[in-house]
Amino acid sequence: MRKMGKYVSLTVMVLGICFILAKPVQAKKNVTVSPGSLDSYAKKYHSVYDKSVAHSLALNKIVESMRKKGGGTLTFKKGTYKFQYSLSVPSNVTMKFKNGVVIKKIMDYRAHIAPGSLMFCFAPKNKMQVKNSIGKYNGTSNAKILGEGKVVFDMCKVKGLAMNVLHCKNIEISGITFKGMNGNHYIEVNAAKNVNIHDCKFNKATKSSIRKAYVKEAVNIDLPDASTHGIGSIWAKQDKTPCRNIKVKNCVFNGMSRGVGTHNYSQKNGKNIYHKKIRIEGNTFKNLYDAGVYLMNWDNTVIKNNKFIKNGKNNKISKQTTAHAIAGSGVKNIHITGNSFKKITKNPIYFAAQENIGNGSQYSRIYVYITKSEAKEMLNNTSEDCGNDPGFPGYDVVYLLGDGRRTAQNAVGVSFKKQEVCFDMVKKK
């Protein structure tokens, strides 16, 4: 009987060992890091320790383990983190940055891993080197980047992007101060759906890039199109997926070329592709070389309760579409209300027919479709010390219908102070 007991005990022990061996190793779901802990991680788990790449290397390893687990929260303690190359942001991952965090872009060409020009990429790491691996809105989903207190993402004048929000959905970015922009965007929102950018600050771009790259918005709304070079990521399908339901709220844009906008449009089978449901609300756009908001093929847009101050500052470009607060073309279903305009170089709002110059120039011209009720809704804005359109003076808003030529037959004017909308500029003249 005692012998039988031994066999039972041995069997239980073997089964227990098998269960332990069969149980998969569980990646940590929630991780807190500091600059020092990332250095230690890199030294411990990698044969080559390189201070320039340590933070990028360790963070991507940690985030990849979180991706395999199905998501989690990565918390950054106070300190300075150096990004030699981009950090992947996969689905269901929230990144929290505590007060005092600084993310610095570095470009150390002597390091054993070459530098990249991007800081954060909303895409899973396992697909970022696979050509055309993600299209439509099928990439990262339900991901967040949240700053608590003062959190700075410093591009350090590198010509690149702070964030690439591409082929993804359900994204939130808040509480971040961006600085060091040089000839590109802070955030590229491209083929994305349900993106909420709020309570961020976008600070000065380099002086050399403001005029040379004046079409470069701090927040760019675009789509992947090989003809327009909308995006160059190897893993992204050039499938012309437009943006849907993009919100930019309670942010400050200060000292760059443009705030939020699109600078090239696309078409498919001869028809316009529209970005839909764009909402720009409660922001401040100040000291900009060009427009605060620049639209190209936007449908169902709300621009509400924003402040535009000194847009078009020192802008000497002769094009009619420059140096306004809000400008562009391809305008449908637009609602512009509750905004204030102060010291805008030209009249605050201007829309006219346009075409792509250079990339995408094969596409047909785009036009303006604003209804009478939408024009009257614009009366609910204010202006102070703003410029005029020399062809149609006295109006805060000038837009051109029909074929878009600058003629009295096409022009509509809106005066905030006079509370007047002129739909017949021929008679007015």
Side-chain angles (χ1 to χ4, degrees):
M1 197 72 182
R2 291 174 63 187
K3 193 172 183 181
M4 180 63 71
K6 284 184 179 181
Y7 287 142
V8 171
S9 299
L10 181 61
T11 302
V12 170
M13 184 173 67
V14 170
L15 288 172
I17 292 171
C18 290
F19 176 77
I20 292 170
L21 292 174
K23 187 177 180 181
V25 177
Q26 298 294 309
K28 289 184 179 180
K29 199 168 179 66
N30 300 313
V31 180
T32 298
V33 298
S34 67
S37 72
L38 293 177
D39 285 328
S40 298
Y41 186 100
K43 289 177 181 178
K44 184 175 181 180
Y45 293 103
H46 299 281
S47 57
V48 178
Y49 173 74
D50 191 325
K51 190 171 184 179
S52 294
V53 305
H55 294 173
S56 296
L57 192 64
L59 284 166
N60 274 293
K61 290 288 185 182
I62 292 167
V63 170
E64 179 64 4
S65 71
M66 296 172 76
R67 182 191 68 79
K68 291 176 180 178
K69 175 68 176 176
T73 300
L74 176 61
T75 302
F76 291 72
K77 287 184 176 181
K78 179 181 179 180
T80 298
Y81 300 79
K82 296 178 180 180
F83 278 29
Q84 170 82 341
Y85 56 92
S86 64
L87 174 59
S88 167
V89 186
S91 295
N92 306 313
V93 168
T94 294
M95 296 186 181
K96 292 183 178 180
F97 301 84
K98 294 297 185 180
N99 182 41
V101 167
V102 177
I103 306 294
K104 295 191 74 171
K105 184 74 198 76
I106 62 171
M107 300 288 279
D108 185 356
Y109 292 96
R110 298 168 298 177
H112 79 283
I113 298 178
S117 59
L118 175 63
M119 293 176 76
F120 292 84
C121 186
F122 283 79
K125 192 73 175 176
N126 62 323
K127 292 189 176 182
M128 286 173 62
Q129 299 302 320
V130 182
K131 189 175 181 180
N132 298 327
S133 59
I134 303 176
K136 297 184 178 179
Y137 308 112
N138 294 327
T140 291
S141 63
N142 306 313
K144 300 179 181 181
I145 286 187
L146 310 176
E148 302 176 0
K150 186 175 182 181
V151 176
V152 177
F153 287 7
D154 189 354
M155 285 298 295
C156 297
K157 301 180 181 180
V158 171
K159 292 184 178 180
L161 298 169
M163 296 183 184
N164 191 2
V165 184
L166 172 60
H167 280 312
C168 54
K169 60 182 178 290
N170 304 332
I171 305 299
E172 181 181 358
I173 300 165
S174 71
I176 307 298
T177 295
F178 296 87
K179 62 182 290 188
M181 176 182 177
N182 182 12
N184 213 320
H185 315 291
Y186 279 127
I187 302 179
E188 172 88 20
V189 181
N190 198 303
K193 179 170 68 174
N194 303 333
V195 177
N196 185 7
I197 301 169
H198 63 92
D199 299 289
C200 292
K201 294 181 180 179
F202 299 87
N203 288 343
K204 294 180 180 180
T206 59
K207 288 184 178 180
S208 60
S209 74
I210 289 176
R211 298 187 186 189
K212 291 179 181 178
Y214 82 94
V215 298
K216 295 297 186 180
E217 305 85 2
V219 176
N220 178 223
I221 296 173
D222 206 346
L223 57 82
D225 181 350
S227 295
T228 63
H229 298 178
I231 197 70
S233 301
I234 185 174
W235 52 267
K237 289 184 179 179
Q238 302 292 317
D239 59 7
K240 299 185 179 181
T241 299
C243 291
R244 295 280 188 270
N245 192 27
I246 310 299
K247 297 178 182 178
V248 181
K249 189 172 182 179
N250 298 335
C251 295
V252 176
F253 298 82
N254 182 15
M256 66 278 303
S257 298
R258 290 178 177 171
V260 182
T262 302
H263 55 266
N264 273 317
Y265 61 88
S266 297
Q267 295 171 345
K268 190 173 183 178
N269 299 324
K271 294 183 178 180
N272 284 323
I273 302 173
Y274 287 94
H275 303 292
K276 293 187 176 182
K277 294 186 70 175
I278 312 296
R279 190 175 188 93
I280 314 295
E281 183 176 0
N283 305 285
T284 298
F285 301 90
K286 59 184 180 180
N287 302 315
L288 304 186
Y289 183 67
D290 197 38
V293 181
Y294 199 92
L295 301 73
M296 296 192 92
N297 276 2
W298 290 15
D299 182 4
N300 194 359
T301 302
V302 174
I303 303 174
K304 182 179 180 181
N305 297 340
N306 302 283
K307 295 179 181 179
F308 298 85
I309 305 163
K310 294 184 180 179
N311 293 182
K313 186 178 179 181
N314 301 318
N315 191 319
K316 305 294 184 182
I317 297 174
S318 60
K319 292 180 181 178
Q320 294 291 342
T321 54
T322 62
H324 304 276
I326 302 171
S329 190
V331 181
K332 291 175 62 178
N333 302 314
I334 192 163
H335 305 278
I336 304 176
T337 64
N339 303 286
S340 65
F341 303 91
K342 186 176 181 179
K343 294 185 177 180
I344 309 303
T345 299
K346 296 182 181 177
N347 60 295
I349 302 173
Y350 183 83
F351 298 119
Q354 289 186 52
E355 56 279 317
N356 286 332
I357 298 174
N359 297 330
S361 58
Q362 75 273 26
Y363 295 137
S364 302
R365 206 176 196 204
I366 57 175
Y367 299 94
V368 178
Y369 306 98
I370 296 177
T371 66
K372 289 187 176 182
S373 62
E374 290 165 358
K376 290 177 180 177
E377 193 177 21
M378 292 184 200
L379 291 169
N380 185 30
N381 295 283
T382 62
S383 66
E384 179 185 345
D385 195 20
C386 296
N388 269 279
D389 187 314
F392 308 101
Y395 294 102
D396 298 289
V397 181
V398 173
Y399 63 89
L400 304 171
L401 298 173
D403 62 8
R405 290 181 298 123
R406 282 179 56 83
T407 64
Q409 287 86 350
N410 288 334
V412 175
V414 180
S415 172
F416 304 149
K417 187 175 182 180
K418 294 180 180 179
Q419 287 293 285
E420 172 188 272
V421 182
C422 181
F423 296 108
D424 190 348
M425 204 70 79
V426 175
K427 184 182 288 187
K428 188 73 175 180
K429 285 196 169 187

